[in-house]
């Protein structure tokens, strides 16, 4: 019985370490293509994953980019992001993994799910759902990456890290609490219906924004070709919100459907 209790305590300690050792890393490398997809950045999932990691406070790079010397000289200085898909008949199921340079899983998200029929919308919503797991993890880079990489005895590290977590029970502020930088509408946009939602065009005419339907009325996943975010109706006004340089931007929209 004592043996089983000891194994349980060690497993619990290691699990705590896996969820919190992301603090040892400043950088994360995102692949330009996930294995379960056929094209690079298909459905904008890779861009979306990179954006979420930057919102969390990491410095993120695509694996095809020119990496800084700190990473290029030692890939163990960065986490590697991966997304795995579990086949489902009526649902899209995605799980986010953060791995160290040896392939050890440092963080594993819950299984994000979506029942949307359109692939673009379904994959986006499932990935967003999976990334909500990061809301439960406090991230603050502690500069201990070299010590973490050099460690070869996980059980020893596991005993120390949870103690630090208990000593600093700071609850992470949710994204919804962020104060946005508001931009006024620049002109009327005209909505053209598509199979997945709408495309908004100006008087040029030029496509300004693509809206993807969700299960919520007057709430869309939005993409302007540079930034991914959400578009929604509030107090009879439309807004497009996204993150840029770790700041929440809220653009007012004048839409004519």
């Amino acid at each position: 019985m004592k043996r089983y209790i000891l194994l349980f305590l060690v497993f619990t300690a290691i699990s705590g370490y896996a969820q919190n050792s992301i603090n040892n890393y400043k950088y994360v490398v995102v692949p330009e293509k996930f294995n379960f997809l056929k094209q690079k950045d298909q459905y904008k999932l890779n861009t979306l994953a990179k954006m979420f990691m930057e919102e969390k406070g990491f410095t993120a790079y695509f694996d095809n980019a020119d990496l800084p010397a700190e990473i290029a000289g030692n890939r163990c200085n960065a986490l590697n992001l991966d997304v795995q898909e579990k086949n489902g008949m009526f649902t899209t199921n995605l799980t986010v993994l953060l791995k160290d340079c040896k392939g050890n899983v440092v963080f594993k998200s819950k299984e994000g799910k979506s029942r949307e029929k359109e692939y673009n919308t379904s994959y986006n919503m499932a990935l967003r759902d999976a990334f909500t797991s990061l809301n439960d993890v406090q991230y603050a880079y502690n500069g201990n990456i070299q010590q973490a990489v050099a460690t070869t005895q996980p059980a020893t590290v596991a005993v120390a890290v949870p103690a630090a977590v208990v000593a600093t029970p700071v609850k992470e502020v949710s994204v919804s609490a962020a104060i946005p930088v508001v931009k006024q509408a620049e002109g009327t946009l005209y909505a053209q219906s598509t199979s997945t939602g709408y495309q908004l065009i100006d008087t040029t005419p030029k496509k300004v924004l693509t809206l993807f339907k969700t299960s919520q009325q007057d709430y869309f996943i939005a993409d302007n070709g540079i930034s991914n975010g959400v578009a929604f109706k509030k107090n009879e006004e439309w807004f497009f919100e996204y993150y840029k340089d770790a700041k929440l931007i809220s653009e007012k929209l004048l839409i004519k459907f």
Side-chain angles (χ1 to χ4, degrees):
M1 177 63 70
K2 291 183 178 180
R3 179 183 179 185
Y4 288 115
I5 294 175
L6 179 60
L7 288 174
F8 174 78
L9 292 175
V10 171
F11 176 79
T12 302
I14 293 175
S15 297
Y17 167 73
Q19 291 293 319
N20 291 283
S21 61
I22 61 172
N23 292 326
N24 293 328
Y25 296 86
K26 177 181 179 181
Y27 302 104
V28 62
V29 177
V30 180
E32 61 179 344
K33 175 183 172 297
F34 293 126
N35 290 333
F36 60 91
L37 295 176
K38 297 180 179 180
Q39 300 176 12
K40 296 179 181 178
D41 202 17
Q42 193 168 0
Y43 309 122
K44 294 290 184 180
L45 289 193
N46 304 74
T47 297
L48 192 61
K50 180 174 179 289
M51 180 188 75
F52 277 128
M53 296 308 299
E54 290 172 340
E55 288 178 6
K56 189 65 181 176
F58 285 91
T59 300
Y61 295 94
F62 284 123
D63 59 0
N64 63 339
D66 291 331
L67 300 176
E70 189 172 354
I71 303 177
N74 185 357
R75 290 301 293 264
C76 289
N77 285 337
L79 288 171
N80 297 295
L81 184 143
D82 188 22
V83 175
Q84 295 182 348
E85 180 184 30
K86 177 182 176 182
N87 292 330
M89 185 174 296
F90 300 109
T91 60
T92 299
N93 307 292
L94 299 180
T95 301
V96 176
L97 300 176
L98 295 178
K99 302 178 182 180
D100 64 19
C101 61
K102 297 180 181 179
N104 300 313
V105 176
V106 177
F107 171 84
K108 182 178 181 179
S109 76
K110 71 173 187 178
E111 193 174 85
K113 299 177 180 293
S114 174
R115 292 182 176 273
E116 293 291 328
K117 295 181 180 180
E118 294 288 342
Y119 284 131
N120 199 326
T121 303
S122 185
Y123 276 113
N124 270 265
M125 293 187 70
L127 187 63
R128 289 174 184 274
D129 186 28
F131 265 106
T132 59
S133 295
L134 276 176
N135 294 338
D136 299 325
V137 182
Q138 180 192 354
Y139 171 70
Y141 176 55
N142 58 26
N144 293 337
I145 178 60
Q146 295 300 332
Q147 179 180 351
V149 171
T151 300
T152 57
Q153 297 180 354
T156 303
V157 178
V159 174
V161 175
V165 174
V166 173
T168 57
V170 180
K171 185 177 181 181
E172 182 182 342
V173 178
S174 65
V175 174
S176 61
I179 300 176
V181 177
V182 180
K183 291 186 177 182
Q184 298 299 319
E186 296 183 356
T188 301
L189 300 178
Y190 299 87
Q192 294 181 340
S193 181
T194 65
S195 60
T196 58
Y198 297 93
Q199 63 178 10
L200 305 183
I201 63 172
D202 59 18
T203 56
T204 307
K206 179 182 71 175
K207 183 171 72 172
V208 176
L209 198 62
T210 303
L211 305 182
F212 300 99
K213 296 177 184 177
T214 70
S215 58
Q216 301 297 317
Q217 184 178 4
D218 295 336
Y219 189 93
F220 299 88
I221 296 170
D223 178 13
N224 66 0
I226 299 176
S227 302
N228 289 281
V230 294
F232 58 91
K233 192 176 184 180
K234 180 180 179 182
N235 296 330
E236 301 304 317
E237 292 185 309
W238 284 95
F239 296 88
F240 170 42
E241 291 194 348
Y242 57 94
Y243 273 84
K244 181 178 181 180
D245 299 327
K247 292 183 179 179
L248 177 60
I249 309 298
S250 182
E251 294 186 9
K252 285 188 177 182
L253 303 174
L254 295 177
I255 306 176
K256 187 173 183 180
F257 287 94

Short mmCIF file of all heavy atoms in Angstrom, two decimals, residues 132-189:
data_model
loop_
_atom_site.label_atom_id
_atom_site.label_comp_id
_atom_site.label_asym_id
_atom_site.label_seq_id
_atom_site.Cartn_x
_atom_site.Cartn_y
_atom_site.Cartn_z
N THR A 132 -7.98 27.43 -24.28
CA THR A 132 -8.51 27.96 -23.02
C THR A 132 -7.86 27.30 -21.82
O THR A 132 -7.90 27.84 -20.71
CB THR A 132 -10.04 27.77 -22.95
OG1 THR A 132 -10.36 26.38 -23.04
CG2 THR A 132 -10.75 28.54 -24.05
N SER A 133 -7.23 26.13 -22.01
CA SER A 133 -6.52 25.47 -20.91
C SER A 133 -5.39 26.34 -20.38
O SER A 133 -5.04 26.26 -19.20
CB SER A 133 -5.97 24.12 -21.38
OG SER A 133 -7.00 23.23 -21.70
N LEU A 134 -4.80 27.16 -21.24
CA LEU A 134 -3.71 28.04 -20.80
C LEU A 134 -4.20 29.11 -19.84
O LEU A 134 -3.40 29.70 -19.11
CB LEU A 134 -3.03 28.69 -22.01
CG LEU A 134 -1.95 27.86 -22.71
CD1 LEU A 134 -1.44 28.59 -23.94
CD2 LEU A 134 -0.79 27.56 -21.77
N ASN A 135 -5.51 29.38 -19.84
CA ASN A 135 -6.04 30.38 -18.90
C ASN A 135 -5.88 29.94 -17.46
O ASN A 135 -5.91 30.76 -16.54
CB ASN A 135 -7.52 30.65 -19.20
CG ASN A 135 -7.73 31.32 -20.54
OD1 ASN A 135 -6.82 31.95 -21.08
ND2 ASN A 135 -8.92 31.18 -21.10
N ASP A 136 -5.74 28.61 -17.25
CA ASP A 136 -5.62 28.07 -15.90
C ASP A 136 -4.17 27.98 -15.43
O ASP A 136 -3.89 27.51 -14.33
CB ASP A 136 -6.26 26.68 -15.83
CG ASP A 136 -7.74 26.72 -16.18
OD1 ASP A 136 -8.40 27.71 -15.83
OD2 ASP A 136 -8.22 25.76 -16.82
N VAL A 137 -3.23 28.39 -16.29
CA VAL A 137 -1.82 28.29 -15.96
C VAL A 137 -1.20 29.68 -15.90
O VAL A 137 -1.28 30.44 -16.87
CB VAL A 137 -1.07 27.44 -17.01
CG1 VAL A 137 0.41 27.31 -16.64
CG2 VAL A 137 -1.70 26.06 -17.13
N GLN A 138 -0.60 30.02 -14.80
CA GLN A 138 0.07 31.32 -14.67
C GLN A 138 1.43 31.24 -15.35
O GLN A 138 2.24 30.38 -15.03
CB GLN A 138 0.25 31.67 -13.19
CG GLN A 138 0.95 33.03 -13.00
CD GLN A 138 1.38 33.24 -11.57
OE1 GLN A 138 1.06 32.42 -10.71
NE2 GLN A 138 2.08 34.32 -11.31
N TYR A 139 1.66 32.13 -16.33
CA TYR A 139 2.94 32.14 -17.01
C TYR A 139 3.70 33.42 -16.71
O TYR A 139 3.18 34.53 -16.86
CB TYR A 139 2.76 32.03 -18.53
CG TYR A 139 4.06 32.27 -19.28
CD1 TYR A 139 5.09 31.33 -19.23
CD2 TYR A 139 4.27 33.44 -20.00
CE1 TYR A 139 6.29 31.54 -19.89
CE2 TYR A 139 5.47 33.66 -20.66
CZ TYR A 139 6.48 32.71 -20.61
OH TYR A 139 7.67 32.93 -21.25
N ALA A 140 4.94 33.26 -16.28
CA ALA A 140 5.87 34.38 -16.08
C ALA A 140 7.27 33.82 -16.24
O ALA A 140 7.71 32.99 -15.43
CB ALA A 140 5.68 35.02 -14.70
N TYR A 141 7.96 34.22 -17.28
CA TYR A 141 9.29 33.69 -17.57
C TYR A 141 10.23 33.96 -16.40
O TYR A 141 10.37 35.11 -15.96
CB TYR A 141 9.83 34.32 -18.85
CG TYR A 141 11.25 33.90 -19.18
CD1 TYR A 141 11.59 32.56 -19.29
CD2 TYR A 141 12.24 34.86 -19.39
CE1 TYR A 141 12.88 32.17 -19.59
CE2 TYR A 141 13.53 34.48 -19.70
CZ TYR A 141 13.85 33.13 -19.80
OH TYR A 141 15.13 32.76 -20.10
N ASN A 142 10.86 32.90 -15.89
CA ASN A 142 11.72 33.04 -14.72
C ASN A 142 13.20 32.98 -15.01
O ASN A 142 14.04 33.10 -14.11
CB ASN A 142 11.36 31.96 -13.68
CG ASN A 142 11.50 30.55 -14.24
OD1 ASN A 142 12.27 30.30 -15.17
ND2 ASN A 142 10.75 29.62 -13.66
N GLY A 143 13.57 32.78 -16.28
CA GLY A 143 14.98 32.80 -16.66
C GLY A 143 15.75 31.55 -16.29
O GLY A 143 16.97 31.53 -16.37
N ASN A 144 15.05 30.49 -15.89
CA ASN A 144 15.72 29.27 -15.42
C ASN A 144 15.86 28.20 -16.49
O ASN A 144 15.97 27.02 -16.18
CB ASN A 144 14.96 28.68 -14.23
CG ASN A 144 15.04 29.58 -13.01
OD1 ASN A 144 15.94 30.39 -12.88
ND2 ASN A 144 14.07 29.43 -12.11
N ILE A 145 15.84 28.60 -17.76
CA ILE A 145 15.85 27.62 -18.82
C ILE A 145 17.07 26.72 -18.79
O ILE A 145 16.98 25.51 -18.97
CB ILE A 145 15.73 28.30 -20.22
CG1 ILE A 145 15.79 27.25 -21.33
CG2 ILE A 145 16.82 29.33 -20.42
CD1 ILE A 145 14.69 26.24 -21.27
N GLN A 146 18.25 27.26 -18.54
CA GLN A 146 19.45 26.44 -18.54
C GLN A 146 19.41 25.40 -17.44
O GLN A 146 19.80 24.25 -17.62
CB GLN A 146 20.70 27.34 -18.39
CG GLN A 146 20.93 28.29 -19.56
CD GLN A 146 21.11 27.56 -20.87
OE1 GLN A 146 21.57 26.41 -20.90
NE2 GLN A 146 20.76 28.20 -21.96
N GLN A 147 18.91 25.80 -16.29
CA GLN A 147 18.78 24.86 -15.18
C GLN A 147 17.76 23.77 -15.51
O GLN A 147 17.96 22.61 -15.21
CB GLN A 147 18.35 25.61 -13.91
CG GLN A 147 18.17 24.70 -12.70
CD GLN A 147 17.75 25.48 -11.47
OE1 GLN A 147 17.75 26.70 -11.49
NE2 GLN A 147 17.41 24.77 -10.41
N ALA A 148 16.66 24.19 -16.16
CA ALA A 148 15.61 23.22 -16.49
C ALA A 148 16.10 22.22 -17.53
O ALA A 148 15.81 21.03 -17.45
CB ALA A 148 14.38 23.95 -17.02
N VAL A 149 16.87 22.69 -18.53
CA VAL A 149 17.37 21.81 -19.58
C VAL A 149 18.39 20.83 -19.02
O VAL A 149 18.45 19.67 -19.40
CB VAL A 149 18.00 22.63 -20.72
CG1 VAL A 149 18.71 21.72 -21.71
CG2 VAL A 149 16.91 23.43 -21.41
N ALA A 150 19.23 21.32 -18.09
CA ALA A 150 20.28 20.48 -17.53
C ALA A 150 19.75 19.42 -16.59
O ALA A 150 20.40 18.42 -16.31
CB ALA A 150 21.31 21.35 -16.80
N THR A 151 18.55 19.61 -16.06
CA THR A 151 17.98 18.69 -15.09
C THR A 151 17.70 17.34 -15.73
O THR A 151 17.08 17.25 -16.75
CB THR A 151 16.68 19.26 -14.50
OG1 THR A 151 16.96 20.50 -13.88
CG2 THR A 151 16.09 18.30 -13.47
N THR A 152 18.15 16.28 -15.11
CA THR A 152 17.94 14.94 -15.63
C THR A 152 17.11 14.08 -14.69
O THR A 152 16.85 12.92 -14.99
CB THR A 152 19.29 14.23 -15.88
OG1 THR A 152 20.03 14.21 -14.65
CG2 THR A 152 20.09 14.97 -16.94
N GLN A 153 16.71 14.62 -13.53
CA GLN A 153 15.93 13.88 -12.58
C GLN A 153 14.61 14.61 -12.36
O GLN A 153 14.49 15.45 -11.49
CB GLN A 153 16.68 13.74 -11.24
CG GLN A 153 17.99 12.96 -11.38
CD GLN A 153 18.70 12.84 -10.05
OE1 GLN A 153 18.29 13.42 -9.06
NE2 GLN A 153 19.77 12.08 -10.03
N PRO A 154 13.57 14.27 -13.14
CA PRO A 154 12.29 14.98 -13.06
C PRO A 154 11.69 14.94 -11.67
O PRO A 154 11.08 15.89 -11.23
CB PRO A 154 11.40 14.21 -14.05
CG PRO A 154 12.36 13.55 -14.98
CD PRO A 154 13.56 13.24 -14.17
N ALA A 155 11.86 13.83 -10.93
CA ALA A 155 11.24 13.73 -9.61
C ALA A 155 11.78 14.79 -8.66
O ALA A 155 11.06 15.36 -7.86
CB ALA A 155 11.47 12.33 -9.03
N THR A 156 13.10 15.07 -8.76
CA THR A 156 13.69 16.07 -7.89
C THR A 156 13.15 17.45 -8.21
O THR A 156 12.80 18.23 -7.32
CB THR A 156 15.24 16.08 -8.06
OG1 THR A 156 15.72 14.78 -7.78
CG2 THR A 156 15.86 17.10 -7.14
N VAL A 157 13.04 17.78 -9.49
CA VAL A 157 12.51 19.07 -9.88
C VAL A 157 11.05 19.18 -9.51
O VAL A 157 10.57 20.22 -9.08
CB VAL A 157 12.68 19.27 -11.41
CG1 VAL A 157 12.07 20.59 -11.85
CG2 VAL A 157 14.16 19.20 -11.78
N ALA A 158 10.33 18.07 -9.64
CA ALA A 158 8.90 18.08 -9.38
C ALA A 158 8.57 18.44 -7.94
O ALA A 158 7.53 19.02 -7.67
CB ALA A 158 8.31 16.71 -9.71
N VAL A 159 9.44 18.09 -7.03
CA VAL A 159 9.18 18.41 -5.62
C VAL A 159 9.33 19.89 -5.37
O VAL A 159 8.58 20.48 -4.60
CB VAL A 159 10.16 17.62 -4.71
CG1 VAL A 159 10.00 18.06 -3.27
CG2 VAL A 159 9.90 16.13 -4.85
N ALA A 160 10.28 20.55 -6.07
CA ALA A 160 10.55 21.96 -5.81
C ALA A 160 9.54 22.88 -6.46
O ALA A 160 9.08 23.83 -5.85
CB ALA A 160 11.96 22.31 -6.30
N VAL A 161 9.16 22.61 -7.70
CA VAL A 161 8.32 23.53 -8.45
C VAL A 161 6.93 23.70 -7.87
O VAL A 161 6.45 24.81 -7.71
CB VAL A 161 8.24 23.11 -9.93
CG1 VAL A 161 7.26 23.98 -10.69
CG2 VAL A 161 9.63 23.19 -10.55
N PRO A 162 6.20 22.61 -7.49
CA PRO A 162 4.88 22.82 -6.92
C PRO A 162 4.89 23.68 -5.68
O PRO A 162 3.95 24.40 -5.41
CB PRO A 162 4.42 21.38 -6.59
CG PRO A 162 5.15 20.52 -7.56
CD PRO A 162 6.49 21.19 -7.70
N ALA A 163 5.98 23.60 -4.87
CA ALA A 163 6.05 24.44 -3.68
C ALA A 163 6.03 25.91 -4.05
O ALA A 163 5.40 26.73 -3.40
CB ALA A 163 7.33 24.11 -2.90
N ALA A 164 6.72 26.26 -5.17
CA ALA A 164 6.72 27.65 -5.62
C ALA A 164 5.35 28.08 -6.08
O ALA A 164 4.93 29.21 -5.87
CB ALA A 164 7.75 27.83 -6.76
N VAL A 165 4.63 27.16 -6.71
CA VAL A 165 3.29 27.47 -7.19
C VAL A 165 2.36 27.76 -6.03
O VAL A 165 1.56 28.68 -6.04
CB VAL A 165 2.74 26.31 -8.05
CG1 VAL A 165 1.30 26.56 -8.41
CG2 VAL A 165 3.60 26.12 -9.29
N VAL A 166 2.45 26.94 -4.95
CA VAL A 166 1.60 27.14 -3.78
C VAL A 166 1.91 28.46 -3.11
O VAL A 166 1.04 29.15 -2.59
CB VAL A 166 1.79 25.98 -2.78
CG1 VAL A 166 1.04 26.26 -1.49
CG2 VAL A 166 1.32 24.68 -3.39
N ALA A 167 3.18 28.87 -3.17
CA ALA A 167 3.58 30.10 -2.49
C ALA A 167 3.11 31.34 -3.22
O ALA A 167 3.04 32.42 -2.64
CB ALA A 167 5.11 30.14 -2.35
N THR A 168 2.79 31.22 -4.52
CA THR A 168 2.37 32.39 -5.29
C THR A 168 1.09 32.10 -6.05
O THR A 168 1.10 31.99 -7.27
CB THR A 168 3.47 32.80 -6.29
OG1 THR A 168 3.77 31.68 -7.12
CG2 THR A 168 4.73 33.24 -5.57
N PRO A 169 -0.02 31.93 -5.36
CA PRO A 169 -1.28 31.58 -6.02
C PRO A 169 -1.94 32.78 -6.68
O PRO A 169 -2.98 33.24 -6.27
CB PRO A 169 -2.13 31.06 -4.86
CG PRO A 169 -1.65 31.86 -3.70
CD PRO A 169 -0.20 32.09 -3.92
N VAL A 170 -1.28 33.31 -7.72
CA VAL A 170 -1.82 34.47 -8.42
C VAL A 170 -2.75 34.00 -9.52
O VAL A 170 -2.35 33.22 -10.39
CB VAL A 170 -0.69 35.32 -9.03
CG1 VAL A 170 -1.27 36.52 -9.75
CG2 VAL A 170 0.26 35.75 -7.94
N LYS A 171 -3.97 34.45 -9.52
CA LYS A 171 -4.94 34.06 -10.54
C LYS A 171 -4.75 34.91 -11.78
O LYS A 171 -4.69 36.13 -11.71
CB LYS A 171 -6.37 34.24 -10.00
CG LYS A 171 -7.42 33.74 -10.98
CD LYS A 171 -8.81 33.85 -10.38
CE LYS A 171 -9.86 33.32 -11.34
NZ LYS A 171 -11.22 33.44 -10.78
N GLU A 172 -4.67 34.27 -12.89
CA GLU A 172 -4.44 34.98 -14.15
C GLU A 172 -5.66 35.81 -14.53
O GLU A 172 -6.80 35.38 -14.40
CB GLU A 172 -4.14 33.99 -15.26
CG GLU A 172 -3.84 34.66 -16.58
CD GLU A 172 -3.59 33.65 -17.66
OE1 GLU A 172 -3.33 32.50 -17.34
OE2 GLU A 172 -3.66 34.02 -18.84
N VAL A 173 -5.41 37.01 -15.00
CA VAL A 173 -6.51 37.86 -15.46
C VAL A 173 -6.97 37.38 -16.81
O VAL A 173 -6.18 37.13 -17.71
CB VAL A 173 -6.04 39.34 -15.56
CG1 VAL A 173 -7.17 40.22 -16.08
CG2 VAL A 173 -5.57 39.83 -14.20
N SER A 174 -8.26 37.21 -16.99
CA SER A 174 -8.79 36.71 -18.25
C SER A 174 -8.65 37.74 -19.34
O SER A 174 -8.55 38.94 -19.09
CB SER A 174 -10.28 36.35 -18.08
OG SER A 174 -11.01 37.51 -17.81
N VAL A 175 -8.63 37.26 -20.59
CA VAL A 175 -8.49 38.15 -21.73
C VAL A 175 -9.63 39.16 -21.79
O VAL A 175 -9.47 40.29 -22.20
CB VAL A 175 -8.43 37.32 -23.04
CG1 VAL A 175 -8.43 38.22 -24.26
CG2 VAL A 175 -7.20 36.44 -23.05
N SER A 176 -10.83 38.71 -21.34
CA SER A 176 -11.99 39.58 -21.41
C SER A 176 -11.85 40.81 -20.53
O SER A 176 -12.55 41.79 -20.70
CB SER A 176 -13.25 38.80 -21.01
OG SER A 176 -13.13 38.32 -19.69
N ALA A 177 -10.90 40.75 -19.53
CA ALA A 177 -10.73 41.88 -18.63
C ALA A 177 -9.79 42.94 -19.21
O ALA A 177 -9.60 43.99 -18.62
CB ALA A 177 -10.20 41.39 -17.28
N ALA A 178 -9.16 42.64 -20.35
CA ALA A 178 -8.23 43.59 -20.94
C ALA A 178 -8.95 44.84 -21.43
O ALA A 178 -10.08 44.78 -21.89
CB ALA A 178 -7.49 42.92 -22.10
N ILE A 179 -8.28 45.99 -21.29
CA ILE A 179 -8.85 47.26 -21.75
C ILE A 179 -8.43 47.47 -23.21
O ILE A 179 -7.25 47.60 -23.50
CB ILE A 179 -8.37 48.43 -20.88
CG1 ILE A 179 -8.80 48.20 -19.43
CG2 ILE A 179 -8.92 49.74 -21.41
CD1 ILE A 179 -8.29 49.25 -18.48
N PRO A 180 -9.38 47.50 -24.14
CA PRO A 180 -9.01 47.59 -25.55
C PRO A 180 -8.64 49.00 -26.00
O PRO A 180 -9.08 49.99 -25.41
CB PRO A 180 -10.28 47.11 -26.26
CG PRO A 180 -11.39 47.53 -25.35
CD PRO A 180 -10.83 47.36 -23.95
N VAL A 181 -7.83 49.07 -27.04
CA VAL A 181 -7.56 50.33 -27.73
C VAL A 181 -8.62 50.44 -28.83
O VAL A 181 -8.65 49.63 -29.75
CB VAL A 181 -6.15 50.34 -28.35
CG1 VAL A 181 -5.93 51.62 -29.13
CG2 VAL A 181 -5.10 50.18 -27.26
N VAL A 182 -9.50 51.43 -28.73
CA VAL A 182 -10.65 51.54 -29.64
C VAL A 182 -10.30 52.37 -30.87
O VAL A 182 -9.76 53.47 -30.75
CB VAL A 182 -11.87 52.14 -28.92
CG1 VAL A 182 -13.05 52.25 -29.88
CG2 VAL A 182 -12.24 51.30 -27.71
N LYS A 183 -10.62 51.83 -32.05
CA LYS A 183 -10.45 52.56 -33.31
C LYS A 183 -11.83 52.80 -33.93
O LYS A 183 -12.67 51.92 -33.93
CB LYS A 183 -9.58 51.75 -34.29
CG LYS A 183 -8.12 51.63 -33.87
CD LYS A 183 -7.33 50.94 -34.96
CE LYS A 183 -5.85 50.87 -34.62
NZ LYS A 183 -5.07 50.22 -35.71
N GLN A 184 -12.03 53.99 -34.44
CA GLN A 184 -13.32 54.34 -35.04
C GLN A 184 -13.45 53.75 -36.45
O GLN A 184 -12.45 53.47 -37.11
CB GLN A 184 -13.48 55.87 -35.10
CG GLN A 184 -13.48 56.55 -33.74
CD GLN A 184 -14.60 56.07 -32.85
OE1 GLN A 184 -15.72 55.88 -33.31
NE2 GLN A 184 -14.30 55.88 -31.57
N ALA A 185 -14.68 53.58 -36.88
CA ALA A 185 -14.94 53.04 -38.21
C ALA A 185 -14.47 54.01 -39.29
O ALA A 185 -14.61 55.23 -39.15
CB ALA A 185 -16.43 52.76 -38.37
N GLU A 186 -13.87 53.49 -40.36
CA GLU A 186 -13.34 54.33 -41.44
C GLU A 186 -14.31 54.49 -42.60
O GLU A 186 -14.11 55.33 -43.47
CB GLU A 186 -12.01 53.76 -41.92
CG GLU A 186 -10.92 53.76 -40.84
CD GLU A 186 -9.60 53.25 -41.36
OE1 GLU A 186 -9.55 52.83 -42.55
OE2 GLU A 186 -8.61 53.28 -40.62
N GLY A 187 -15.34 53.69 -42.65
CA GLY A 187 -16.31 53.78 -43.75
C GLY A 187 -17.25 52.60 -43.71
O GLY A 187 -17.04 51.62 -42.98
N THR A 188 -18.29 52.68 -44.52
CA THR A 188 -19.28 51.62 -44.56
C THR A 188 -18.74 50.39 -45.30
O THR A 188 -18.12 50.52 -46.36
CB THR A 188 -20.57 52.10 -45.24
OG1 THR A 188 -21.09 53.21 -44.52
CG2 THR A 188 -21.62 50.98 -45.26
N LEU A 189 -18.97 49.22 -44.73
CA LEU A 189 -18.59 47.96 -45.36
C LEU A 189 -19.86 47.22 -45.75
O LEU A 189 -20.84 47.21 -45.01
CB LEU A 189 -17.75 47.11 -44.39
CG LEU A 189 -16.44 47.73 -43.90
CD1 LEU A 189 -15.76 46.81 -42.90
CD2 LEU A 189 -15.51 48.03 -45.06
#
